[in-house]
Amino acid sequence: MDEKFDAIIVGAGMAGNAAAYQLAKAGLQVVLIERGPNPGSKNLSGGVLYGRSLERLMPDFWQTAPVERAVTNHIISFISGEAYFNVDFKTGIFGRAPYNGFTVLRARFDRWMASRAEDAGAMLVTGIKVEKLLREGNRVAGVVAGEDELRADVVIAADGAAAFIPQEAGLRERIPAGHIAMGIKEVIGLPREVIEDRFHLAGNEGTAYSIVGFATQGVAGGGFLYTNLDTLSIGLVINLEELLASRLRPEAILDDFMSHPMVTPLIKGGKPLEFGAHLVPEGGTQMMPRLVSGGMLVVGDAAGLTVNNGFSVRGMDLAIESGIAAAEAVVEAKSKQDFSAAGLSIYEKKMEKSNVMADMHTYARAARFLKKERLYHAYPEFLSSLMTNIYRQDASPKMHLLPELMKSLKTSKLSLFDLVRDGWEGVHSL
Amino acid sequence: VNTSGLSSKLAINKYNLDEDHPHIIVNEEICRAVCEDLACLNVCPAGVYSEQNGKIIIDWAGCLECATCQVACPSEALHWVYPRGGFGVIYRYG
């Protein structure tokens, strides 16, 4: 293959597929390279696919895409050793078109999305790994993939959280452990009807749990549990720096989480189908690489585009949005035949104006807030003690809520000052 | 380290093993000279790393390709790349 492409996209995940589809639709010659035997075979979902960015690219995608369930039920669960306190929210609005978000399984979903890009005219190459970048002067000019040298005006790095390509291009430094998390998950099989009964779902409705507290044995991070059609995705996202400091083994934390009394009845009788791990960027704007250099753009997880505010963990919708923006920038750069860093900087401008960066800035302080040790020890215990006291009937006389709260606070490791300050910071960072 | 639970977790996964092409190589000299905490032994979710007679042993066949070890290795003693195209773990669900 010695022809020259308009664009080479490294990685057929959400961002790469979105960019490939958009570029092919605009009539550009684009090749999408995936190292896995199929698109999605190296990818894991640890979140909900919020639908707005994909809908912009592929209207009514849910009618044909292999989505699992439309998430109608959002549950935040604070767990301590043997208690839990859930905030359980459900709305029918999220269960109707245009739907708020879906659970997805990436092996199926990414394959479908890549095939849409192929239908639009993109060339998909699977089972081939990009070994390194080709350069001409100080700009990126293509890639070495397997045995072949492929050249293009632009290389789009959509190679995921480990971001080896942007590192090779000098766009990002080695990723510090504090800026990344380990996602670890199991997929568990259960009959459809069991899932629907157990999680109070009708039809294709779905539940997303976000679990804070002893899920991670005090290590900064949280648990998740999502209902798919006939499987559950259950796992943890654990800050790597904190995991290293704890010296705990990640799969042991996962095992303990799965045997917590809040979790066991939810996964009971399930058949383990898959065990996986993946890095999750969580350094926010601090960890973002430069997005553009001569002949190269960085998108999706490789660009560190994730938002976690404790309620929702987002990455896939941001990845799609960045893929669309990158494709639009390449189309404009092509019309001017300027693929220098300056010519491609349209991408940065588009991103800065997008909802992606707006949300990245809004939640810039969320990651630091969510690292507070109190969230993982003191608060779950305080909540558990407060609720226990509210419901317990014993020989002692009952108290009103305020003195009850002060009593639980006194026996906890929290001060009133902590509560007020964390509450204030919480409502401003999350 | 009790890894029996871990082996049964890994056993349900699908892999296309690239025999004779390890994608992880450890530089023992750097390990011995500068590494004090051997983060790789604990942090790998697939238990790829173990220590035998002071040497790091790499059982790369079970690697989940998360690259956590590569970020965690404080001494940068690991040469870690993705397996060759088409090989390694194949997530059927994801």
Side-chain angles (χ1 to χ4, degrees), chain A residues 35 41-45 105-107 127 129 174-175 182 185-186 247 249-250 255 273-277 279, chain B residues 9 12-13 37 41-44 47 65-66 68 70-71 73 76 82-83 85-87 89 91-94:
Chain A
R35 69 185 180 89
S41 54
K42 301 292 182 182
N43 301 346
L44 296 178
S45 163
L105 290 167
R106 301 291 299 275
K129 183 174 70 153
R174 214 176 114 86
I175 302 169
M182 179 194 290
K185 75 179 257 194
E186 276 192 30
R247 311 284 301 170
R249 293 197 55 87
D255 281 342
L273 297 173
E274 189 165 85
F275 171 62
L279 289 178
Chain B
K9 278 189 205 298
I12 57 177
N13 285 351
D37 54 0
L41 298 183
N42 280 324
V43 83
C44 173
E65 298 169 37
C66 64
T68 303
Q70 200 261 348
V71 179
C73 181
E76 301 185 35
Y82 289 126
F87 289 99
V89 69
Y91 291 120
R92 291 161 298 173
Y93 297 89

Side-chain angles (χ1 to χ4, degrees), chain A residues 169-342:
Chain A
L171 287 171
R172 87 169 317 144
E173 305 287 314
R174 214 176 114 86
I175 302 169
H179 282 178
I180 207 131
M182 179 194 290
I184 179 170
K185 75 179 257 194
E186 276 192 30
V187 176
I188 293 174
L190 274 174
R192 226 187 131 136
E193 315 76 65
V194 173
I195 291 178
E196 284 160 12
D197 287 350
R198 197 172 283 183
F199 293 89
H200 317 296
L201 306 171
N204 280 13
E205 292 177 347
T207 297
Y209 273 85
S210 177
I211 303 146
V212 184
F214 275 27
T216 44
Q217 306 196 5
V219 186
F224 60 83
L225 194 163
Y226 303 122
T227 56
N228 305 312
L229 268 180
D230 53 5
T231 58
L232 303 175
S233 294
I234 180 166
L236 301 169
V237 176
I238 316 170
N239 181 267
L240 183 54
E241 189 176 36
E242 309 261 334
L243 177 64
L244 289 169
S246 77
R247 311 284 301 170
L248 294 169
R249 293 197 55 87
E251 84 284 356
I253 306 179
L254 181 63
D255 281 342
D256 276 14
F257 171 56
M258 287 170 64
S259 49
H260 187 277
M262 199 283 286
V263 178
T264 39
L266 300 177
I267 60 174
K268 191 180 153 211
K271 180 175 183 248
L273 297 173
E274 189 165 85
F275 171 62
H278 208 280
L279 289 178
V280 182
E282 61 172 21
T285 48
Q286 277 180 33
M287 80 171 299
M288 284 183 61
R290 281 186 293 136
L291 296 177
V292 174
S293 73
M296 172 165 273
L297 300 175
V298 188
V299 294
D301 271 7
L305 301 175
T306 58
V307 166
N308 174 11
N309 62 4
F311 297 93
S312 30
V313 184
R314 291 168 53 197
M316 294 184 282
D317 62 319
L318 309 185
I320 290 169
E321 198 72 46
S322 70
I324 300 172
E328 290 171 349
V330 171
V331 171
E332 283 189 45
K334 186 178 162 68
S335 72
K336 295 177 189 141
Q337 281 299 307
D338 180 2
F339 303 100
S340 66

